[in-house]
Amino acid sequence: MSKPVIAIVGRPNVGKSTLFNKLIGERRAIIEDTPGVTRDRIYGETEWCGKTMIVIDTGGIEPKTDDIILKKMREQAQIAIDTADVIIFMCDVKTGLVADDLDIAVMLKKSGKPVIPVINKVDKVGAVPLEFYEFYQLGFENDLVAISSIHGSGSGDLLDACLAALPEFETEEEDNDVINVAVIGKPNAGKSSLINKILGDDRLIVSNIAGTTRDAIDTYFENEHGKYNFIDTAGIRRQSKVEDRVEKFSVLRAKMAVERAQVCLLVIDANEGVTEQDEKIAGIAHEAGKAVIICVNKWDLIEKDNNTVNSYTKDVYDALSYMTYAPLLFISAQTGQRVPKLFEHINYVHNQANTRISTGMLNDVLADATTRVQPPSDKGKRLKIYYMTQISVAPPTFVIFCNSAELFHFSYQRYIENCLRQTFGFKGTPIKIIIRQKGDNED
């Protein structure tokens, strides 16, 4: 289930970035006492009452302006509003209610999203100035929340209000038979073309202009292999090239699409091979613990000999050395070459990611592994491994209890992971291993 999204919007210089930094616990947004400093949307995560939420910081909205930069900031704020589950609308008690606040309120009401009106710079706790009450003219259903973003006061009340306003999307019935598949990759790698070939029609806009797909688009598809929801994401550009605010937002949407997915199709342009940007995109899926299939697209355009497939496979796995578990499929979205094989691969890696192994079987493998390769030692102290158990799936996650986490070197963890893969497969999915140290009295 995806995390709910909260967007912070308002006029320039009302304290949005300061609040954002308080909520996510980092000083990530640039703060300066000049209107319009935050031109790019920045996002992070906050946790409240056991629920994790994505928070988006936006540039200030100036509803009526001819300034190109301010227009861009208004555009990117609008996209944040469209994506958000809840909107925090910040106003400034020091300047009082102004015409731009009223104009923004009209814009937010049109969105149909829950809005929490937040009045900032109320610096004295329990002493709300008279100017606070004029903001009731904004006419929102939710009560005004008084905060001081610079001191952090009122942020708990604000987060309570956000949780209360969140739509009950998590209680909706879900079809557990549907596999969510995110199609990820650089712009112009052929993601939309691939989905069109799968669907058998031109349901998505396909263009050879990089970056045509701005948002993540969900398309349901059912065939004899099963039920699927394909998520076509905007191509993820190199960060240095993401100057358009809308494209910065597309990077966020792509990352959120990966989080929603159970399987990711990483589409690589066969003409270009694995680029630095492909490595970064693959890393997003890997770090998120998602099952992955590497799709080398435009394979029909490659001149081949008897060694082309082997050579290309080696190059891909050399570049994506942390993802050698992912199956590789050479396809052509244009001609349909090997596209039908995708479904059996999707089903297979999805099943692998959800595999559970009994504790008894795990510890048989562990005993065999430690017999063949002795655990490391340091200064006369040897690593002792007591037992291993699986605590979750998607990705398969294991806890190993030992006498010293420090002695459990990364190389030995990799060795244990390889033993698990040799025995149980886990093809297409990352494996997570957590090391737990027990007390010395158990040595």
Side-chain angles (χ1 to χ4, degrees):
M1 182 62 64
S2 58
K3 296 166 187 169
V5 178
I6 297 171
I8 306 173
V9 301
R11 291 185 294 109
N13 208 34
V14 294
K16 297 183 300 298
S17 295
T18 308
L19 174 63
F20 173 80
N21 289 333
K22 285 286 182 187
L23 293 181
I24 69 167
E26 299 177 32
R27 188 180 170 85
R28 194 179 302 182
I30 300 168
I31 300 172
E32 188 176 311
D33 194 22
T34 306
V37 165
T38 308
R39 293 179 182 172
D40 295 327
R41 184 182 308 93
I42 306 171
Y43 59 94
E45 291 186 357
T46 188
E47 186 175 329
W48 189 250
C49 295
K51 191 171 192 69
T52 302
M53 296 169 279
I54 293 171
V55 184
I56 306 176
D57 183 28
T58 65
I61 303 173
E62 295 217 11
K64 297 169 183 172
T65 179
D66 292 324
D67 183 280
I68 291 174
I69 291 178
L70 291 175
K71 276 186 174 180
K72 284 284 186 188
M73 289 161 62
R74 186 175 63 206
E75 284 174 22
Q76 54 116 0
Q78 180 63 57
I79 298 169
I81 290 164
D82 293 342
T83 306
D85 297 298
V86 174
I87 299 161
I88 293 174
F89 174 28
M90 283 192 75
C91 300
D92 182 349
V93 78
K94 297 281 173 61
T95 59
L97 182 66
V98 299
D100 278 354
D101 291 328
L102 293 166
D103 289 339
I104 294 168
V106 171
M107 180 173 130
L108 296 181
K109 286 172 185 173
K110 286 179 181 175
S111 74
K113 303 290 178 71
V115 178
I116 310 296
V118 174
I119 316 306
N120 191 26
K121 305 182 185 177
V122 180
D123 296 331
K124 291 183 180 177
V125 178
V128 176
L130 287 174
E131 293 82 0
F132 175 85
Y133 297 99
E134 68 182 357
F135 287 95
Y136 276 103
Q137 293 177 54
L138 293 170
F140 289 105
E141 288 183 13
N142 291 304
D143 283 340
L144 304 180
V145 179
I147 69 164
S148 170
S149 60
I150 201 161
H151 296 121
S153 60
S155 57
D157 292 339
L158 171 57
L159 288 170
D160 283 341
C162 288
L163 282 181
L166 276 176
E168 293 293 326
F169 57 84
E170 290 200 347
T171 61
E172 295 174 4
E173 284 292 320
E174 290 193 354
D175 188 342
N176 293 324
D177 293 335
V178 177
I179 301 175
N180 289 314
V181 183
V183 184
I184 60 175
K186 292 185 309 180
N188 210 26
K191 300 180 297 301
S192 296
S193 298
L194 175 58
I195 295 181
N196 284 345
K197 182 58 70 173
I198 289 169
L199 299 175
D201 61 35
D202 289 337
R203 201 173 306 188
L204 302 175
I205 298 168
V206 178
S207 157
N208 60 4
I209 302 169
T212 299
T213 309
R214 295 287 192 181
D215 273 349
I217 302 167
D218 286 28
T219 309
Y220 179 80
F221 182 72
E222 188 173 341
N223 63 9
E224 68 274 17
H225 297 285
K227 302 174 184 176
Y228 308 90
N229 179 43
F230 286 96
I231 308 165
D232 182 38
T233 61
I236 307 176
R237 291 180 177 276
R238 298 173 71 95
Q239 201 65 30
S240 59
K241 292 185 179 178
V242 185
E243 295 173 350
D244 181 348
R245 310 304 179 264
V246 178
E247 286 187 4
K248 271 192 179 294
F249 179 73
S250 293
V251 174
L252 169 61
R253 287 301 295 269
K255 290 180 178 179
M256 289 169 63
V258 167
E259 185 175 293
R260 277 201 296 134
Q262 293 150 300
V263 176
C264 294
L265 304 184
L266 173 63
V267 182
I268 292 170
D269 188 328
N271 294 303
E272 297 182 17
V274 179
T275 65
E276 185 180 340
Q277 186 65 358
D278 290 316
E279 293 176 32
K280 177 183 174 184
I281 296 166
I284 292 171
H286 176 76
E287 290 299 320
K290 304 299 179 178
V292 176
I293 300 164
I294 302 170
C295 302
V296 180
N297 190 29
K298 307 181 186 178
W299 192 242
D300 55 312
L301 304 179
I302 301 296
E303 290 187 16
K304 307 169 190 69
D305 57 34
N306 292 336
N307 194 44
T308 306
V309 169
N310 290 336
S311 174
Y312 208 104
T313 300
K314 181 180 182 302
D315 290 344
V316 169
Y317 286 138
D318 283 349
L320 303 176
S321 56
Y322 54 86
M323 198 176 269
T324 54
Y325 55 80
L328 195 63
L329 201 59
F330 295 94
I331 66 169
S332 169
Q334 190 70 35
T335 68
Q337 181 184 14
R338 295 192 190 86
V339 170
K341 287 185 174 292
L342 274 173
F343 294 104
E344 59 189 70
H345 279 74
I346 290 169
N347 292 348
Y348 182 68
V349 300
H350 179 253
N351 288 334
Q352 290 284 290
N354 286 279
T355 298
R356 280 196 179 274
I357 310 297
S358 72
T359 300
M361 292 176 72
L362 285 174
N363 286 287
D364 286 345
V365 172
L366 185 62
D368 181 62
T370 54
T371 300
R372 282 190 285 142
V373 177
Q374 286 289 307
S377 61
D378 184 41
K379 296 176 182 175
K381 185 175 183 180
R382 181 168 294 280
L383 172 66
K384 291 182 182 178
I385 301 176
Y386 302 120
Y387 67 96
M388 172 168 53
T389 188
Q390 184 174 358
I391 59 169
S392 65
V393 297
T397 304
F398 305 91
V399 176
I400 300 179
F401 293 89
C402 66
N403 65 331
S404 171
E406 190 177 346
L407 283 175
F408 212 129
H409 301 152
F410 173 76
S411 58
Y412 202 73
Q413 286 186 46
R414 178 59 58 87
Y415 164 66
I416 297 295
E417 178 182 329
N418 289 338
C419 290
L420 290 172
R421 290 190 183 278
Q422 286 166 14
T423 307
F424 304 114
F426 295 121
K427 185 73 172 173
T429 180
I431 289 176
K432 187 175 180 184
I433 294 178
I434 300 167
I435 307 302
R436 288 275 184 267
Q437 181 173 314
K438 301 186 82 172
D440 288 337
N441 62 337
E442 301 189 43
D443 282 10

